[in-house]
Amino acid sequence: MTRPWNFSAGPSALPLEVLEQAAAEMTDWHGCGMSVMEMSHRGKQFMQIRDEAEADLRELLGVPDDYEVMFMQGGATAENAIVPMNLLGRAGSGRADYVLAGIWSNKSHKEAQRYGDIAVAASSGEAAQIDGRQQQAWTWFPEPQTWRVRADAAYVHVCSNETIGGVEFADWPDMAALGAADVPLVVDASSHFLSRPIDFSKAALVYAGAQKNAGPAGVTVVIARRDMIGHALPMCPSAFDYTNVAKNQSMFNTPPTYAIYIAGLVFKWIKRQGGVQALERANIAKAAELYASLDGSQFYRALVHPRWRSRMNAPFFLADESLNADFLAESQAAGLLQLKGHKSVGGMRASIYNAMPLEGVRALINFMQDFERRHG
Ligand SMILES: *Cc1c(COP(=O)(O)O)cnc(C)c1O
C-alpha cells in the first residue's frame, strides 16, 4: 500500500521518514520518558533539539556568522507586520518600498502601510509583452533594473516565490548596482525556502513560514543580519521585537517546541539527501519534466513566463475548464491529492516541494496524459 502523492501548497507533504521518526519518538523522546510536546522549553532535552535545529539550518544554508537565526510564530503573515515594525526605525525615514508580483507580496505591502510611508517599487500587476510573449498580470516578475527604490528607504521587500501565482524570482539584485547600496533587501522566501541555496550577500533578512517546505505550521524562520536588529518601533510587541527574540535564542517566550522539533527532523533529512544543493538538482529535474509536459500539450496551459516559473508551485489550466471537476475527482481517485488551484487564480496547481520525489511528479504527468487521451 503506497501513500497517495500530496500536491498541497501548504501545509504540505513532509518526508515520510520524518513522519515515521516523529511517530516512533512521539511518547518517549530518546529514552527520556517524555514526548517533545511535554518538555520544558528550557530543559536540556529541548535545548539540544533547538540548538541542533539551528546548527543544521546554518550548515544547510551556509548562514553567515553575522546573521541571527530566529524561530518565531505567527507565520509569514505576522512577519508582514513584524518586518516593518522592526526595520522602519532603521533609516530614520520611516519608508520602505515593495515589489509586487502576486498575492503574497500584495498582502505584505498592504499590511506594511499601517506602519510607515510605504511605496510600490515595481509591480507585475498589468499585462506585458516579454520576449514576444503576451503575459497576463502576475505571471511575470519585474526586472530589478526597473525597480524604483528610494535611496533613504529602510528596506525593499520582495516575495521570492509567489506560491499562488507560481512566480519565482531567484536572481536577487545587488542593491548597490541599483543605486541603492544602503537599502537592504528583505525576502519572503516561505514557499521555496530550502529548495535552493540562498545568497546572503544579497539579502539582509529572509523569512519563511515552515509549512511549505521546512516543517509543520506554527514556526516561522527569520534569518536576519545583525544590523537589521535593534531598531523596533515603540509600538512593536515585545515578543515580536527581533532584539528580544535574538537575545534569548528564540526563547523570549515559549517557542513552538513541537514545530521546531519537526523542522529539525526535516533539516536532518535534507542533510541525508545531500543538502540543499542536491535537493535543488532534484527540484530542477522535477520542474523541468512537469513544465515540458504542460508545454507539450494543447490540452493544458501554463501561463507564467518560463523565466519565472516556480520550481515549487506549478499552476496550470485545462483548456476546457468544464472538465475541471472531472480532473479533480479522477486525480484524487488515482491517488493524486490537492491539485485544485487557489480560488483567486482558478484552474489547477501542483506544488512539488522537497518532499515530493520525481516519482510523484511522473505519476502526475502520467495521469494528466491519460486524462487528456480520454477527454481530449
Ligand atoms: C503561505 C505563505 C504566506 C502566509 O503564511 P501564513 O503561515 O499563513 O502566515 C506568506 N507568504 C508566502 C510566500 C506564502 O507561501
Side-chain angles (χ1 to χ4, degrees):
M1 187 53 202
T2 55
R3 296 183 93 215
W5 300 113
N6 179 0
F7 296 91
S8 174
S12 45
L14 287 164
L16 182 58
E17 272 177 46
V18 165
L19 296 176
E20 287 175 339
Q21 185 178 348
E25 297 177 345
M26 169 65 83
T27 59
D28 181 5
W29 185 80
H30 294 201
C32 77
M34 294 180 283
S35 168
V36 173
M37 279 180 265
E38 302 171 302
M39 291 173 183
S40 164
H41 58 295
R42 304 200 186 276
K44 70 176 192 310
Q45 290 96 352
F46 185 74
M47 288 302 281
Q48 181 189 335
I49 289 169
R50 196 222 76 93
D51 290 350
E52 280 183 28
E54 177 174 342
D56 287 338
L57 183 61
R58 283 186 175 277
E59 182 184 331
L60 284 170
L61 289 174
V63 177
D65 287 343
D66 60 335
Y67 282 64
E68 293 283 351
V69 171
M70 296 176 273
F71 298 114
M72 298 185 69
Q73 299 187 65
T77 301
E79 292 303 320
N80 287 342
I82 294 169
V83 164
M85 282 193 291
N86 275 277
L87 267 51
L88 280 173
R90 232 193 101 253
S93 66
R95 293 178 159 178
D97 296 338
Y98 279 65
V99 177
L100 308 186
I103 299 222
W104 290 118
S105 49
N106 272 283
K107 286 196 180 190
S108 301
H109 172 247
K110 181 158 185 248
E111 181 74 8
Q113 284 170 354
R114 304 174 59 175
Y115 303 103
D117 168 1
I118 309 297
V120 174
S123 169
S124 67
E126 51 195 57
Q129 188 80 25
I130 302 171
D131 307 329
R133 291 174 63 108
Q134 185 59 30
Q135 293 300 135
Q136 298 177 9
W138 314 122
T139 66
W140 53 283
F141 200 93
E143 295 283 8
Q145 313 84 269
T146 69
W147 299 0
R148 294 174 306 273
V149 178
R150 295 174 290 184
D152 63 349
Y155 63 94
V156 59
H157 178 283
V158 301
C159 173
S160 53
N161 189 64
E162 287 282 358
T163 322
I164 293 170
V167 174
E168 185 166 11
F169 170 63
D171 302 323
W172 301 352
D174 187 340
M175 294 305 294
L178 300 186
D182 297 331
V183 182
L185 185 67
V186 170
V187 182
D188 175 1
S190 292
S191 51
H192 70 169
F193 189 62
L194 292 170
S195 74
R196 59 193 307 151
I198 288 179
D199 183 351
F200 285 101
S201 73
K202 303 274 174 60
L205 190 151
V206 176
Y207 62 92
Q211 73 273 21
K212 308 291 167 42
N213 211 16
V219 59
T220 315
V221 179
V222 180
I223 305 177
R225 210 170 61 205
R226 283 215 180 89
D227 61 320
M228 298 296 108
I229 297 174
H231 315 282
L233 302 177
M235 67 171 67
C236 182
S238 325
F240 290 158
D241 182 336
Y242 292 146
T243 310
N244 293 332
V245 180
K247 196 170 63 196
N248 293 284
Q249 282 83 45
S250 306
M251 304 266 205
F252 176 75
N253 66 321
T254 314
T257 52
Y258 201 75
I260 291 170
Y261 156 70
I262 299 285
L265 296 185
V266 172
F267 302 158
K268 289 191 189 299
W269 175 84
I270 295 174
K271 287 172 72 175
R272 292 197 298 278
Q273 308 310 300
V276 170
Q277 286 75 7
L279 285 177
E280 180 183 39
R281 286 192 292 277
N283 289 327
I284 289 170
K286 284 151 50 185
E289 288 202 18
L290 181 54
Y291 286 113
S293 162
L294 289 166
D295 285 341
S297 154
Q298 303 292 314
F299 190 82
Y300 302 104
R301 293 177 304 141
L303 301 184
V304 175
H305 191 288
R307 216 187 299 166
W308 298 287
R309 283 179 177 174
S310 170
R311 292 174 186 165
M312 297 285 101
N313 313 96
F316 61 92
F317 298 85
L318 276 63
D320 176 0
E321 296 225 279
S322 72
L323 292 170
N324 282 358
D326 288 343
F327 183 91
L328 288 168
E330 290 184 30
S331 58
Q332 183 168 341
L336 307 165
L337 307 185
Q338 310 204 66
L339 284 165
K340 192 173 192 304
H342 190 271
K343 60 182 184 304
S344 64
V345 171
M348 307 297 155
R349 173 176 49 168
S351 294
I352 51 173
Y353 297 115
N354 286 345
M356 175 64 65
L358 183 58
E359 191 190 351
V361 174
R362 287 186 174 156
L364 172 62
I365 293 170
N366 287 339
F367 167 80
M368 289 171 66
Q369 290 173 347
D370 181 55
F371 187 87
E372 177 174 351
R373 269 191 297 275
R374 287 182 291 107
H375 297 274

